[in-house]
Amino acid sequence: MTADRWLRGPLRSPLGRRLLAAFLFVALSSVAVLTTAALVGTAQGLTSAQQNDRREAAARAAEAVATAYQQADGWAGADLNAASAIAGAAGARLVVQDDDGRMVGPGRGMGPGMGGMLTAANATMVDAPIVVGGQTVGSVRLAFTTPAATGRAVAWSWVLGAAAVALLTALAAAGYVTRRLTRPLQAITGAARRFAAGEPEARAGLAGPGELGELAAAFDTMADDMVRADQDRRRLAADVAHELRTPLAALQAGLEELRDGLREPDTERLAALHDQTLRLGRVVQDLADLSAAESAALSLHRTDTDLAEIARTVLSTHQARLDAAGLHSGTDLAVALPVYADPDRLHQAVANLLANAARYCRPGDRVTISGHRSGDLVVLEIADTGPGIPADELPHVFQRLWRGAEARSVAGSGIGLAIVRELVTAHGGTVSAAAPTGGGTTITIRLPLAGADR
């Protein structure tokens, strides 16, 4: 992959361009500062080292001249070849002057001012005194003609080469990081646009680094939830329409018969039509109860109460209905079941369970309410010996409008158990259904023991 294609992805988005520009600005600034510091430091170090070397060369040359002066007992006949060799090795020209400023070397017969003529073209000169017997008898001047920029040029080439490598590395890192940051965002943006355009299967489907990966996963989860919620809404609308269609059709047919004079408005016919209106009313009331139960967490009036006492009260209230259905009832509530809950909401939940038992059980069946404590929970069980629920339907019994395979032969809207689940969940509890081996159905409610959830 070429650099142009590699960077094309990040450069395609405004955020990618901004991130890449920011990374490059930081990289360029860092490289520029470090390069400048390296060059300045190198130049100063080379200059300082070179000056030290030149001063040492001048000092050695002055010592050699002093030795020659002592051996010749003066400037006349002094051998300056050793000093000239030291100056030549250092890349400089040697000029020796006596204490009066007259040039006495490297040649003889040079008067004052000749040294200046020899060294005027040289920008760098280093002087050192000639000391013999504790007295200064002259001076040595080294005129350096060798360019001092050789070492500096080498340093510049290395520093600039390193800066170029660092810049390319920074460019590659900036492009990689920018690509890693913008790619998940582009995927999420594209998926969001497709989802908004009516493509429910659109997902980001990308595992990005850190928080970006979590964002992509959260978007996919949100899209799944929205699709599921839309499906539930459509299914609910279809189920409600199905529940309302039968009594409305019966009402319409009966009223048309009365309007056209095909039937007399006798008591029997009016009672049948009245039953259909009651059925409509029950469906509408069940929907209202479900809506209220789903928002129960916002309207719970909690207090310390006894779930066992609530169950006994509900059973007493529904005893006539259970008797009318030909059912036997009883309780096994030997211990108190203290909970911190809304008594009215729990009364409604238990009442719905008993109403379900009266609706689905056969004459002669038995309904038993029992309870006990289990650690930090209180457990209430409503068990019956009715026809039971098929195992494949147990996971669905608490769904809205679920009535199972016997829906056509049994009256009801299929909302009662859904209301129970919402009410129990609002209290921080759970509800489950089981079909014992011996037959019947057992609904189990588990709620936090009073004090355990506070």
Side-chain angles (χ1 to χ4, degrees):
M1 181 183 295
T2 64
D4 179 64
R5 290 186 59 192
W6 188 70
L7 289 173
R8 193 177 301 163
L11 292 177
R12 194 174 294 152
S13 67
L15 177 61
R17 290 193 293 269
R18 293 190 184 97
L19 287 175
L20 189 58
F23 286 133
L24 289 180
F25 174 76
V26 173
L28 287 172
S29 301
S30 302
V31 170
V33 170
L34 292 176
T35 300
T36 303
L39 290 175
V40 171
T42 301
Q44 291 181 348
L46 289 175
T47 300
S48 177
Q50 193 175 53
Q51 288 297 329
N52 290 333
D53 291 341
R54 289 176 176 179
R55 281 194 291 269
E56 291 177 0
R60 290 196 305 273
E63 291 178 359
V65 173
T67 300
Y69 181 89
Q70 286 180 327
Q71 291 175 351
D73 195 19
W75 291 116
D79 186 4
L80 303 180
N81 290 329
S84 296
I86 293 174
R93 296 177 59 186
L94 174 66
V95 177
V96 181
Q97 296 176 328
D98 60 15
D99 54 351
D100 294 328
R102 292 176 298 182
M103 182 178 292
V104 295
R108 295 181 181 177
M110 294 182 179
M114 291 303 293
M117 294 177 62
L118 290 173
T119 60
N122 300 304
T124 304
M125 293 176 288
V126 179
D127 296 335
I130 303 172
V131 180
V132 177
Q135 293 182 349
T136 302
V137 297
S139 64
V140 170
R141 172 172 292 179
L142 297 186
F144 290 92
T145 57
T146 303
T150 303
R152 191 173 301 173
V154 174
W156 269 83
S157 63
W158 277 98
V159 171
L160 291 178
V165 172
L167 185 60
L168 291 176
T169 303
L171 178 62
Y176 173 77
V177 172
T178 302
R179 186 181 181 86
R180 290 280 291 174
L181 290 176
T182 57
R183 193 176 168 198
L185 293 177
Q186 290 173 344
I188 295 172
T189 302
R193 288 174 177 168
R194 295 195 306 273
F195 192 85
E199 186 179 337
E201 298 82 11
R203 300 292 184 274
L206 185 64
E211 288 79 3
L212 291 177
E214 294 178 3
L215 177 61
F219 173 83
D220 290 346
T221 302
M222 180 197 67
D224 292 337
D225 292 342
M226 291 185 65
V227 171
R228 191 179 303 109
D230 183 65
Q231 293 174 347
D232 291 342
R233 179 183 59 82
R234 295 173 184 271
R235 184 164 51 249
L236 176 61
D239 291 340
V240 170
H242 174 74
E243 288 296 323
L244 297 178
R245 185 180 298 116
T246 301
L248 283 176
L251 277 173
Q252 181 180 357
L255 292 173
E256 287 177 352
E257 288 178 342
L258 295 177
R259 181 197 62 186
D260 297 338
L262 300 177
R263 294 285 297 271
E264 292 294 328
D266 52 20
T267 303
E268 180 182 356
R269 188 56 182 166
L270 292 177
L273 295 177
H274 182 259
D275 289 341
Q276 297 300 328
T277 61
L278 292 178
R279 183 178 180 185
L280 281 173
R282 282 195 302 270
V283 174
V284 173
Q285 184 60 43
D286 286 343
L287 291 173
D289 289 342
L290 179 60
S291 176
E294 289 176 339
S295 59
L298 302 178
S299 59
L300 290 179
H301 302 288
R302 294 176 182 260
T303 184
D304 290 318
T305 187
D306 184 3
L307 182 58
E309 183 60 32
I310 292 175
R312 281 191 287 264
T313 302
V314 175
L315 181 60
S316 175
T317 304
H318 285 68
Q319 189 64 56
R321 183 174 182 180
L322 296 173
D323 292 342
L327 304 179
H328 305 287
S329 61
T331 61
D332 182 10
L333 300 168
V335 297
L337 304 176
V339 292
Y340 183 67
D342 186 332
D344 294 334
R345 297 295 187 181
L346 294 185
H347 187 286
Q348 182 181 2
V350 178
N352 279 3
L353 294 176
L354 291 180
N356 252 28
R359 182 179 299 115
Y360 291 101
C361 287
R362 304 156 298 192
D365 288 333
R366 183 172 184 82
V367 178
T368 304
I369 303 178
S370 60
H372 62 275
R373 300 182 188 181
S374 177
D376 291 338
L377 298 175
V378 298
V379 181
L380 185 72
E381 295 181 346
I382 293 90
D384 63 60
T385 58
I389 302 174
D392 60 332
E393 295 184 6
L394 281 174
H396 308 287
V397 295
F398 294 103
Q399 295 179 4
R400 299 176 180 181
L401 301 171
W402 176 267
R403 295 172 58 194
E406 304 296 328
R408 294 185 179 180
S409 60
V410 181
S413 60
I415 296 178
L417 290 181
I419 294 175
V420 172
R421 182 191 62 183
E422 296 296 336
L423 292 174
V424 173
T425 303
H427 285 85
T430 60
V431 60
S432 60
T437 306
T441 303
T442 300
I443 305 295
T444 304
I445 296 176
R446 295 177 175 86
L447 291 172
L449 186 68
D453 60 339
R454 287 183 286 174

